[in-house]
Amino acid sequence: MLIGIICLVAYLMGSISSAILVCRLFRLPDPRFAGSNNPGATNVLRLGGKIPAALVLACDVLKGTIPVWGAYFLAIEPIWLGAIAVSACLGHIYPIFFHFNGGKAVATAFGALLPIGLSLAGMLIVTWLVVLWLTRYSSLAAIVTVSLAPVYTFLVKPLYTLPVTFLTIVIIFRHRANIARLWQGKEPKITKKSERQ
């Protein structure tokens, strides 16, 4: 019963689309229908710059961290922590408050992994930055990072490898269109400001 309630709360928190709300606050186009049509920090960066994108990123991370960390301190079994993390991500992907039209949940998944440890967070951040720096593909950086998350988790806290794997499957499934565009060479890159002018 308790786990079901926490999963529901996690889903509802995930359903609060910070990208849409921040874009409304800054009077930017709706990220669901502009840019890459994805309500996430990367698209908000394209539409409005660093400050709105940073706000979206912080809020999306917290949506994953708060419910999982709260459950973590309640000594809930790792497998159920994974279910709570997936619930938060499903809320972000299919938000009940925004017609079930959500984002890719990468930042929310990262937030859900933070309670496992700062060493895991550090490895994930470095991986994402390196892949992004080498390729300039935000989606590829996310896919590579999330794919390595179970490996990193096994090295840090093996007990959480299975739930992290569940999370990885959800995120990669959500990126299936990006994978197709990457394969076809049609995926947009993150460009420098000087190149956009």
Side-chain angles (χ1 to χ4, degrees), residues 106 110 113 116 119-132 134 139-157 160-169 171-172:
V106 175
F110 174 76
L113 295 177
I116 294 177
S119 56
L120 174 62
M123 288 188 285
L124 294 172
I125 291 171
V126 169
T127 301
W128 187 85
L129 288 174
V130 168
V131 177
L132 183 65
L134 289 174
S139 59
L140 181 60
I143 292 165
V144 171
T145 302
V146 77
S147 296
L148 290 173
V151 178
Y152 294 157
T153 304
F154 180 78
L155 295 174
V156 176
K157 286 188 179 178
Y160 294 96
T161 303
L162 185 58
V164 170
T165 301
F166 292 157
L167 201 56
T168 294
I169 292 169
I171 302 303
I172 290 179

